[in-house]
Amino acid sequence: MRILPPKIWRNKDTHYALSASVCEKCGNVIFPARASCNKCGSFKVKLVKLSGKGTLLSFTKSHQIRTGYEKESPVYFGLIRLDEGIEILAPLVDVDDDPKDGSRVEATIRRLRVDSSNGLIEYGTKFRLIENE
Amino acid sequence: MTDAYVSGASMIKVDKYYESNAIDLAIAAVSQLEDQLTTKKPDMLFLANAYSESTEEQVLLANKLARTLGYEIPAFRVESGDSSGGSAIYSAYLAVKSGIAKSVLVVGTEKLSDFPTSHLNDIISQNLDEEFSYRSGVVPQAYAAIQMKMYMKEYGVPREYFAEWPYHMHKYASENPFAYLKFPVEKEAILSSQIVSEPLRLFDTAARSDGASAVLITNHEIGKKISETPVKIEGVEMFTSHFDYRQLKAVQGALKPWREFRPDFYEIHDSYSVTAAMILEELGLERGKSLYMLDQIQVNYSGGLKARGYPGGATGVYQVAEGFMQLAGIFKGKRVRDANRGLVISADELGSVAITIGLSR
Ligand SMILES: [Zn+2]
């Protein structure tokens, strides 16, 4: 497993700004952003930044370890409906006990993984519970 | 158009083979078809393999296999994740149906046993989108776990419900000499097995392993020549969709053309217990009850991915080989009653691709 700077660079909008595309023809929201609509096939899409806020629909506490992410295990993954209407599965942070379905969550930038060979660290989006909104 | 037939099939036991690479395993499977291949050399080769770049640090596998077998024929690797096997069968079917090839050798081969779990999880996670999911450290098991939770909520079933699937798969696999996990298990052991991703447990997941299987797809004339029991391919359908927690759209789509077919048995791609339930319900069993109805349907007498084992992209080739052997009356494990028609459902890890293959004798 190698972390390569060009890959982190080209994914910066996805991970640091939650950049999505919106189809100008059918209104579909596509995340990660693409230059085509995955619903109607149109190429007329525009880039938008997602709010990063959403509602937790469900979650799982995973004990599976992946190379580079060893320190994160066990990890909660949440199925989140973002306020823009799309559903994504993403890691949850700062969660010690099982969260409640229906909780409000927001995106935050955290460490994703570490390259053991060159020491590079990759950062990206995870979600945390919002205490008071 | 010409009809296409499965005119021969072979497989090696699904297992850990530390001493063999993917090509070695492929040759072991193909060598069992020696008589048929000597009578008629194949016109084309399709190799099903999903993960060789990561697992073997190898590409150009189809050419390497063809060259190793002494063939100078068109040879293609077909990669479509865990549905590579079904996709390779589809490709061979098209070649024979079109008349471009009279005889096509399909080989599935995969090596998943060489790695620690953490590395293999990383490889299997390549099935997810690269930009967000893969880089976020998500594992496919998390999708299946949430799918399972939603299913439990929707139908009000307890955790125990899902134990039915591994229980039956292990029971069937214990009769299959080619199965990886050739032993029965008690439901208590299933329900207390290691937690993978709550509420998903080890026995709800496919048994990753090595394997290779070969299938000969020919026209009728060659089929008669090289086989006593050629099995007709009634059709192949494929459907691709987005992953959906609540329904298997690809499976629905790939099943639609088969409404009148009425198979006597099925081989389905059970990545997880919940996947099995959702596929069975697309086949017509009652939603939320399908896993309690396994005595009413002849499904996965191989033992399925759960217990025959899951050799990645080779899985679909195993399924078709098993279907052929059932219909030819030569399957060495639990035999299907009145086997006249069988349906194979090959799919990828999370069921966003499905290929259905109808077989009849
Ligand atoms: Zn659109």
Side-chain angles (χ1 to χ4, degrees), chain B residues 97-236:
Chain B
K97 281 294 269 189
S98 69
I100 290 172
K102 292 183 170 125
S103 174
V104 180
L105 176 61
V106 183
V107 185
T109 184
E110 198 84 73
K111 290 275 305 165
L112 300 181
S113 287
D114 292 350
F115 311 96
T117 308
S118 58
H119 189 68
L120 195 51
N121 276 337
D122 202 64
I123 294 171
I124 306 288
S125 299
Q126 293 172 6
N127 281 297
L128 308 174
D129 75 88
E130 192 258 345
E131 297 96 320
F132 188 77
S133 307
Y134 175 77
R135 309 199 82 77
S136 301
V138 179
V139 288
Q141 294 95 329
Y143 289 86
I146 289 177
Q147 201 166 40
M148 190 168 162
K149 275 177 92 171
M150 287 182 161
Y151 184 104
M152 288 166 77
K153 206 168 158 188
E154 172 84 22
Y155 301 111
V157 298
R159 178 67 194 80
E160 288 72 22
Y161 171 72
F162 295 96
E164 296 292 331
W165 184 256
Y167 174 78
H168 281 83
M169 290 304 103
H170 275 266
K171 202 168 75 177
Y172 301 155
S174 68
E175 296 183 42
N176 179 2
F178 298 105
Y180 177 38
L181 306 178
K182 229 178 96 47
F183 52 84
V185 283
E186 296 302 323
K187 287 178 191 168
E188 294 74 47
I190 293 168
L191 289 167
S192 59
S193 64
Q194 185 193 328
I195 295 174
V196 166
S197 192
E198 287 168 2
L200 195 78
R201 285 177 186 262
L202 188 63
F203 274 96
D204 293 310
T205 65
R208 299 154 167 187
S209 39
D210 302 338
S213 175
V215 164
L216 266 172
I217 296 182
T218 71
N219 65 15
H220 188 245
E221 178 203 351
I222 304 223
K224 271 192 310 188
K225 206 179 285 176
I226 65 172
S227 170
E228 287 167 19
T229 51
V231 161
K232 189 175 174 199
I233 302 179
E234 294 287 347
V236 183

Side-chain angles (χ1 to χ4, degrees), chain A residues 23-28 37-42:
Chain A
C23 177
E24 294 182 8
K25 217 168 157 187
C26 77
N28 182 35
C37 172
N38 60 21
K39 201 170 169 187
C40 76
S42 167

Side-chain angles (χ1 to χ4, degrees), chain A residues 7 11 15 31-32 34 38 59-67 69 77 79 87 89 91 112-113 122, chain B residues 118-119 121-122 125 129 131-132 134-138 141 143 145-146 149-150 196-198 242 246:
Chain A
K7 291 201 186 196
N11 279 310
H15 269 284
F31 179 80
R34 293 274 188 212
N38 60 21
F59 66 88
T60 177
K61 187 182 184 183
S62 170
H63 298 266
Q64 290 298 291
I65 296 167
R66 250 180 70 186
T67 308
Y69 301 85
F77 291 112
L79 173 62
E87 291 178 7
L89 185 74
L112 292 178
R113 60 176 176 168
E122 181 168 2
Chain B
S118 58
H119 189 68
N121 276 337
D122 202 64
S125 299
D129 75 88
E131 297 96 320
F132 188 77
Y134 175 77
R135 309 199 82 77
S136 301
V138 179
Q141 294 95 329
Y143 289 86
I146 289 177
K149 275 177 92 171
M150 287 182 161
V196 166
S197 192
E198 287 168 2
H242 300 293
R246 298 154 189 94

Side-chain angles (χ1 to χ4, degrees), chain A residues 14-29:
Chain A
T14 300
H15 269 284
Y16 305 157
L18 283 185
S19 176
S21 34
V22 175
C23 177
E24 294 182 8
K25 217 168 157 187
C26 77
N28 182 35
V29 180

Side-chain angles (χ1 to χ4, degrees), chain B residues 299-338:
Chain B
V299 61
N300 284 17
Y301 281 3
S302 63
L305 276 71
K306 176 76 241 6
R308 172 242 286 117
Y310 153 58
T315 307
V317 183
Y318 270 88
Q319 291 176 303
V320 171
E322 287 151 357
F324 167 80
M325 289 172 182
Q326 287 286 6
L327 290 166
I330 55 171
F331 185 64
K332 293 210 172 81
K334 184 177 169 69
R335 290 275 181 89
V336 168
R337 271 173 286 108
D338 309 319

